[in-house]
């Protein structure tokens, strides 16, 4: 909720704030630095407000764009160009593409992402993640979507796969049990952004809130 | 019996059901969440065991319970505080309360209880975590609490009429769950297998607050009256539920969770459709109908809105008169043929006609009448609420979808200033949801996105300029601001009851209708609107007490009445 409001407060277009928030929580609850990606998005949304990434052919220029916010659009772009490699140039936080890819994979898609030496594959409920992919803060990413009809299984796992869907689910279960703990300064930045959707109170607004009109001592 | 989604019964069309003027006439049914919870508690023989009781002579201190279920043990902690009457307010912006509560994933240890004691009374300002499921607070009823304690301390039972008139000893002003303020996420709660359906955790908390409030008045009576004191008797205990003050926060929920709303309404409508299929009512069913009808009439007679809106008082007067008339029509010794023919309940619906207040009350009675036809639906109340965009859908197909399913939105004349006269927002004060007048107050640029009709109309106009063959995904890439409404439209294809088919921005919109619609699905009764912006209601009035869950009639508490409680039946 706070992440969604923060993205909305920062100026994310309607609907992208929820996608972005869900992706941030997905990453953070699986130990993939979702909060850091969220804070980066909060910083870059204002700078790119009103602009959309430049996309020509199969190439998108993403330098300075908030990727949690645009992740669903980019994954959908790959789905529309199924089987074709899409180049995402200067993609901040490449791992921010994983949550939306995982969601679409559950609906019968396969995604392969490559950035430098890092690799990620997502299909159905399976996921292989080379550790270096999750660590990248910015990279050129090749993204390929393939429709799995009928489900034909997962492409070969990257040879140096360091994380699987089971590993991430185990991390997620621990996060659910213990809750997510954010550094106070990070939490403060999120709260500040979220507060931008609030309307200052006034005597008139107070009188239009619930329970303003009658004696409560009854 | 078919599930909610595959019934062959004919459901009422969404254009008839999903109007504010209909939702605002809903009554709780046996499929409301409070009823489902109590039925489950009874079926699974849940036990509420006292664990800690540290209350002083004024009833201040702390209490904890263990809730034993077949799937595990939950904990509940209650903290009772001194409160200056000047600080007592039902508003969300309050900062102090008579009592505060937490439902916990496990029974709290002493250390847990100390930690909770530090934080739970502070509510939003305290620190709760993934071990806490629900956070709540309540105020004592000034009309009743002290009077009940004084009577019991003096060795007398309080007036049953007063007990029934107020209906509760404590009134909650917020019941938070599902991850709010750092509480356990619903997914975590669901995975534990105890509270798997929406709002079960919140309803259980309210039930436990009722249990606590009844124990508290007994405790105070003994401390004040000593040997003279008596315990509140069973009929009066049952006649007391828990009050709840609810404001505009319900409205954003109803718009933001369309798939859940669809499940809830579809569950109710499927139940009703199944009942309408009954071809002939048996003598036993007719007798039971007469019993429920009489109880419902008394329930309405005892429902006395304190401040109220004049419209509700007038409608209840009409209901009372019509139910009297109906009782005569269907009397066992009478010669009325209303219910003796083919499809009797369809005939009853025709008799109710356009009087929606009476019609919806009768619908609740009918659902009550056939547990064997409807109770299996209670498992269909949940939804994973997965919304997804279909980027490949051609824009032409999206336009056709809008025209087929959102005609009601396209009919709104948004160039009339009144059609956008209101805006909904969160105030800086405790993020309280409020309603403003767009053309008279600042803040509209930060409004909540609850104007579904306006968003649909704007999208439809914009799509007019697009190539119908173009994939929606490409349109969204260039117009990201439409992602929310496009995804909503595409995701609700199979959710016919998801949308409230009214313009919530119109100056004439009455939020009280939204509140009643949702509260009835939770199981609240005795709606007592204090304005068009907020209402008081009662939960669990007439419900079996914790030590009565194994009674054979533990599920028979719909349309609770003081009169019924007074003669010792559950409701």
């Amino acid at each position: 909720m706070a992440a969604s409001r923060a993205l909305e407060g920062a100026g994310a277009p309607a609907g992208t704030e929820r996608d972005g928030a869900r992706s941030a929580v997905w990453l953070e609850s699986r130990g993939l630095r979702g909060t850091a990606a969220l804070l980066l998005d909060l910083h870059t949304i204002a700078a790119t407000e009103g602009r959309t990434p430049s996309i020509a052919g199969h190439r998108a220029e993403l330098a300075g764009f908030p990727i949690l916010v645009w992740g669903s659009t980019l994954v959908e772009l790959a789905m529309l160009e199924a089987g074709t490699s899409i180049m995402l140039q200067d993609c901040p936080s490449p791992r921010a593409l994983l949550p939306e890819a995982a969601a679409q994979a559950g609906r019968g898609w396969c995604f392969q992402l490559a950035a430098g030496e890092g690799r990620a594959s997502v299909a159905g409920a399976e996921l292989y993640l080379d550790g270096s992919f999750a660590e990248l803060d910015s990279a050129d990413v090749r993204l390929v979507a393939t429709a799995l009809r009928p489900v034909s299984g997962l492409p070969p796992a990257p040879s140096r796969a360091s994380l699987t869907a089971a590993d991430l689910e185990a991390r997620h279960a621990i996060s659910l049990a213990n809750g997510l703990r954010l550094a106070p300064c990070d939490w403060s930045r999120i709260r500040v952004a979220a507060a931008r959707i609030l309307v200052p109170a006034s005597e008139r607004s107070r009188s239009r809130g619930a329970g303003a009109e009658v004696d409560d001592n009854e | 019996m078919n599930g909610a989604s595959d019934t062959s019964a004919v459901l009422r069309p969404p254009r008839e059901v999903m109007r504010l003027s209909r939702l605002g006439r809903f009554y709780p049914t046996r499929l409301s969440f409070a009823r489902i919870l109590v039925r489950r508690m009874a079926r699974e023989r849940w036990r509420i065991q006292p664990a800690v009781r540290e209350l002083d002579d004024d009833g201040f201190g702390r209490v904890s319970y263990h809730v034993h279920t077949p799937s595990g043990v939950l904990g509940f902690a209650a903290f009772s505080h001194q409160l200056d009457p000047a600080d007592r307010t039902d508003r969300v912006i309050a900062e102090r309360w008579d009592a505060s509560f937490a439902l916990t994933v496990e029974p709290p240890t002493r250390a847990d209880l100390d930690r909770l004691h530090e934080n739970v009374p502070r509510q939003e300002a305290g620190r709760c975590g993934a071990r806490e499921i629900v956070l709540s607070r309540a105020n004592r009823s000034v009309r009743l609490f002290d009077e009940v304690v004084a009577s019991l301390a003096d060795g007398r039972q309080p007036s049953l009429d007063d007990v029934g008139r107020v209906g509760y000893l404590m009134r909650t002003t917020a019941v938070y769950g599902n991850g709010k303020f750092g509480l356990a996420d619903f997914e975590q709660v669901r995975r534990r297998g105890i509270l798997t359906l929406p709002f079960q955790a919140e309803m259980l908390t309210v039930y436990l607050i009722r249990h606590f409030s009844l124990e508290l008045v007994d405790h105070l009576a003994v401390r004040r009256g000593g040997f003279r004191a008596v315990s509140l008797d069973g009929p009066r205990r049952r006649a007391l539920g828990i009050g709840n003050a609810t404001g505009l926060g319900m409205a954003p929920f109803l718009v933001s969770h369309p798939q859940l709303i669809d499940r809830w309404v579809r569950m109710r409508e499927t139940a009703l459709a199944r009942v309408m299929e009954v071809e002939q009512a048996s003598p036993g069913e007719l007798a039971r109908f007469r019993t429920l009808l009489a109880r419902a009439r008394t329930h309405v007679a005892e429902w006395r809105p304190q401040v109220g809106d004049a419209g509700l008082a007038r409608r209840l007067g009409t209901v009372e008169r019509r139910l009297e008339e109906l009782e005569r029509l269907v009397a066992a010794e009478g010669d009325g043929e209303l219910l003796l023919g083919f499809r009797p309940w369809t005939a009853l619906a025709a008799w109710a006609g356009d009087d929606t207040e009476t019609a919806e009350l009768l619908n609740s009675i009918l659902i009550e009448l056939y547990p064997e036809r409807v109770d299996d639906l209670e498992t269909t109340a949940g939804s994973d609420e997965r919304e997804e965009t279909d980027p490949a859908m051609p824009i032409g197909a999206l336009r056709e979808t809008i025209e087929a399913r959102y005609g009601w939105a396209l009919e709104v004349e948004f160039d009339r200033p009144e059609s956008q006269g209101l805006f909904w927002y969160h105030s800086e004060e405790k993020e309280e949801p409020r309603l403003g007048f767009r053309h008279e107050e600042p803040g509209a640029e930060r409004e909540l996105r609850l104007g579904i009709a306006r968003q649909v109309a704007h999208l439809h106009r914009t799509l007019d300029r697009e190539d119908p063959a173009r994939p929606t995904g490409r349109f969204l890439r260039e117009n990201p601001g439409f992602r929310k409404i496009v995804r909503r439209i595409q995701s609700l294809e199979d959710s016919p009851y998801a949308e409230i088919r009214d313009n919530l921005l119109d100056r004439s919109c009455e939020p009280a209708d939204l509140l009643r619609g949702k509260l009835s699905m939770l199981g609240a009764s005795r709606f007592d609107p204090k304005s068009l912006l907020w209402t008081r209601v009662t939960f669990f009035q007439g419900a079996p007490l914790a030590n009565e869950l194994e009674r054979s009639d533990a599920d028979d508490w719909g349309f609770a009445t003081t009169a019924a409680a007074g003669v010792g039946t559950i409701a």
Side-chain angles (χ1 to χ4, degrees):
Chain A
M1 179 69 84
S4 176
R5 288 186 180 181
L7 287 168
E8 184 181 348
T16 62
E17 85 285 3
R18 205 191 68 169
D19 293 346
R22 288 206 324 202
S23 292
V25 173
W26 191 98
L27 291 168
E28 185 68 24
S29 68
R30 289 162 177 79
L32 297 177
R33 298 187 297 138
T35 303
L38 174 64
L39 294 174
L40 183 62
D41 264 33
L42 294 180
H43 179 69
T44 53
I45 287 172
T48 58
E49 193 169 2
R51 290 198 289 129
T52 59
S54 164
I55 300 176
H58 298 128
R59 182 177 295 268
E61 174 52 59
L62 298 173
F65 277 92
I67 292 305
L68 288 172
V69 163
W70 283 97
S72 46
T73 301
L74 296 169
V75 167
E76 286 167 14
L77 172 67
M79 291 162 63
L80 287 172
E81 303 289 345
T84 305
S85 176
I86 308 290
M87 170 57 79
L88 309 178
Q89 276 193 309
D90 295 323
C91 176
S93 313
R95 65 189 182 285
L97 298 165
L98 291 173
E100 184 64 21
Q104 296 290 0
R107 297 166 202 140
W109 286 85
C110 167
F111 296 90
Q112 294 179 73
L113 300 95
E117 298 297 310
R119 296 285 185 279
S121 301
V122 192
E126 295 299 327
L127 183 150
Y128 294 118
L129 180 61
D130 181 316
S132 69
F133 185 88
E135 300 306 316
L136 296 169
D137 285 325
S138 177
D140 293 342
V141 179
R142 285 201 174 277
L143 170 63
V144 184
T146 318
L148 295 176
R149 298 191 191 100
V151 173
S152 54
L154 186 66
S159 56
R160 292 179 288 112
S162 56
L163 283 172
T164 65
D167 297 328
L168 295 181
E169 179 51 33
R171 292 181 179 186
H172 181 225
I174 292 170
S175 295
L176 276 178
N178 297 335
L180 296 177
R181 299 204 179 281
L182 272 58
C185 58
D186 292 345
W187 180 237
S188 173
R189 288 176 64 188
I190 292 168
R191 292 283 301 169
V192 167
R196 291 189 199 123
I197 68 165
L198 303 177
V199 174
S202 65
E203 275 312 308
R204 179 158 189 190
S205 79
R206 216 164 274 134
S207 74
R208 296 285 297 169
E213 303 86 351
V214 296
D215 173 17
D216 294 309
N217 283 304
E218 54 178 62
Chain B
M1 195 59 68
N2 292 331
S5 58
D6 58 2
T7 182
S8 59
V10 179
L11 276 60
R12 294 192 294 181
R15 67 173 180 276
E16 180 182 335
V17 178
M18 297 306 293
R19 301 299 306 269
L20 284 176
S21 57
R22 175 75 61 175
L23 295 170
R25 308 294 180 268
F26 273 13
Y27 285 74
T29 73
R30 64 179 293 107
L31 293 173
S32 296
F33 298 152
R35 293 289 302 278
I36 291 174
L37 174 71
V38 170
R39 206 152 47 234
R40 183 173 169 211
M41 291 170 75
R43 187 172 61 239
E44 297 181 354
R45 297 171 181 255
W46 290 20
R47 273 189 310 114
I48 298 169
Q49 176 193 8
V52 171
R53 183 161 160 163
E54 297 169 357
L55 297 172
D56 66 15
D57 288 351
D58 294 313
F60 304 136
R62 62 191 191 178
V63 164
S64 78
Y65 305 133
H66 296 178
V67 182
H68 296 266
T69 84
S71 309
V73 185
L74 297 166
F76 176 78
F79 305 96
S80 172
H81 332 285
Q82 187 155 24
L83 179 67
D84 188 315
D87 290 332
R88 184 176 288 116
T89 169
D90 277 4
R91 295 194 67 173
V92 166
I93 56 175
E95 293 186 339
R96 292 174 61 81
W97 306 270
D98 281 315
S100 53
F101 313 94
L103 183 71
T104 57
V105 294
E106 289 173 349
T109 62
R110 279 269 164 196
D112 289 334
L113 211 51
D114 290 342
R115 176 178 59 83
L116 293 171
H117 205 158
E118 284 292 312
N119 290 286
V120 171
R122 298 169 63 205
Q123 295 283 291
E124 298 95 330
R127 282 179 69 90
C128 285
R131 294 172 61 79
E132 286 78 59
I133 306 172
V134 174
L135 187 66
S136 182
R137 68 284 190 114
N139 286 331
R140 298 176 180 183
S141 165
V142 174
R143 286 182 289 164
L144 192 64
F145 192 95
D146 287 343
E147 182 189 320
V148 168
V149 170
S151 295
L152 297 176
D154 197 34
R156 296 177 286 109
Q157 291 297 326
S159 148
L160 191 58
D161 190 50
D162 288 345
V163 165
R165 179 171 50 82
V166 177
Y168 52 81
L169 293 164
M170 283 190 158
R171 185 172 60 242
T172 58
T173 64
V175 185
Y176 295 124
N178 194 19
K180 210 161 183 188
F181 306 118
L183 297 167
D185 191 86
F186 178 65
E187 177 61 15
Q188 184 207 349
V189 177
R190 193 186 62 76
R191 285 184 182 202
R192 294 176 68 87
I194 303 177
L195 303 162
T196 53
L197 290 173
F199 287 99
Q200 281 199 330
E202 289 86 346
M203 287 295 101
L204 175 60
T205 302
V206 175
Y207 184 85
L208 293 168
I209 294 172
R210 177 203 195 208
H211 187 72
F212 168 75
S213 71
L214 294 169
E215 287 206 331
L216 186 60
V217 288
D218 276 353
H219 167 86
L220 285 166
V222 169
R223 291 296 176 100
R224 291 180 191 172
F227 290 119
R228 267 187 311 135
V230 293
S231 193
L232 192 64
D233 65 18
R236 285 168 177 77
R237 295 174 97 82
R238 283 188 292 275
L240 288 165
I242 281 293
N244 173 259
T246 299
L248 298 177
M250 292 263 166
F253 182 95
L254 286 166
V255 177
S256 305
H257 298 270
Q259 290 167 328
L260 264 186
I261 300 309
D262 171 73
R263 299 297 180 279
W264 300 354
V265 176
R266 200 168 357 156
M267 175 171 73
R268 190 179 184 284
E269 291 301 313
T270 303
L272 187 59
R274 287 177 179 180
V275 172
M276 291 297 176
E277 286 184 322
V278 171
E279 295 184 351
Q280 202 76 46
S282 70
E285 288 163 358
L286 288 172
R288 172 78 172 145
F289 175 75
R290 289 186 204 102
T291 301
L292 289 172
L293 184 59
R295 192 193 292 176
R297 185 169 64 79
T298 308
H299 175 85
V300 171
E302 289 182 358
W303 174 3
R304 293 161 234 169
Q306 294 292 303
V307 177
D309 69 75
L312 176 61
R314 190 176 60 248
R315 294 198 306 272
L316 291 180
T318 302
V319 171
E320 224 180 318
R321 278 195 307 280
R322 296 206 71 198
L323 294 190
E324 273 181 31
E325 180 191 339
L326 184 60
E327 278 188 283
R328 286 194 298 274
L329 270 175
V330 301
E333 66 278 11
D335 57 0
E337 294 184 353
L338 179 65
L339 303 180
L340 300 181
F342 183 71
R343 294 265 162 95
W345 309 124
T346 306
L348 182 69
W351 176 85
D354 295 333
D355 172 7
T356 48
E357 188 78 46
T358 303
E360 292 305 327
L361 183 144
L362 291 173
N363 287 341
S364 288
I365 292 178
L366 294 181
I367 291 170
E368 190 72 38
L369 200 51
Y370 290 98
E372 72 284 1
R373 282 181 174 258
V374 305
D375 281 359
D376 66 304
L377 293 167
E378 66 186 34
T379 58
T380 65
S383 164
D384 62 7
E385 299 194 82
R386 186 171 290 174
E387 289 191 2
E388 55 194 75
T389 310
D390 176 3
M393 177 186 267
I395 282 175
L398 179 60
R399 284 191 84 245
E400 286 170 15
T401 301
I402 292 171
E403 285 157 13
R405 294 196 353 243
Y406 287 86
W408 58 272
L410 301 181
E411 287 170 5
V412 178
E413 297 171 15
F414 282 105
D415 46 1
R416 274 190 320 115
E418 298 81 15
S419 69
Q420 300 182 66
L422 300 178
F423 71 101
W424 302 72
Y425 64 94
H426 280 124
S427 166
E428 274 184 358
E429 279 185 312
K430 272 200 167 185
E431 303 184 13
E432 183 183 49
R434 290 180 183 169
L435 199 52
F437 292 110
R438 184 181 308 275
H439 307 297
E440 299 160 30
E441 295 174 57
E445 72 283 0
R446 297 181 181 188
E447 71 180 306
L448 298 172
R449 293 157 178 163
L450 302 189
I452 299 301
R454 186 176 63 174
Q455 292 173 46
V456 168
H458 183 200
L459 172 65
H460 187 257
R461 278 197 313 276
T462 306
L463 292 180
D464 271 348
R465 301 189 289 269
E466 296 288 328
D467 176 359
R470 198 173 183 223
T472 300
R474 295 198 191 288
F475 169 77
L476 287 178
R477 203 175 75 200
E478 291 156 15
N479 301 277
F482 286 113
R483 171 167 289 276
K484 189 184 184 87
I485 191 64
V486 167
R487 183 177 56 207
R488 184 182 181 102
I489 292 166
Q490 291 182 329
S491 301
L492 299 181
E493 181 81 45
D494 299 320
S495 302
Y497 297 99
E499 299 285 15
I500 297 164
R501 298 181 176 221
D502 277 295
N503 173 21
L504 303 188
L505 307 182
D506 196 281
R507 184 135 184 157
S508 65
C509 173
E510 296 195 2
D513 289 334
L514 287 169
L515 308 188
R516 182 165 162 184
K518 184 185 172 195
L519 286 163
S520 71
M521 292 181 244
L522 297 184
S525 58
R526 306 222 313 189
F527 302 90
D528 187 3
K530 298 302 177 188
S531 76
L532 295 177
L533 301 177
W534 74 294
T535 186
R536 285 189 184 151
V537 292
T538 310
F539 282 100
F540 294 112
Q541 198 174 17
L545 305 168
N547 61 0
E548 294 176 332
L549 290 169
E550 293 183 20
R551 282 172 59 152
S552 60
D553 57 354
D555 189 33
D556 189 15
W557 55 284
F559 301 107
T561 68
T562 308
V567 296
T569 58
I570 280 186

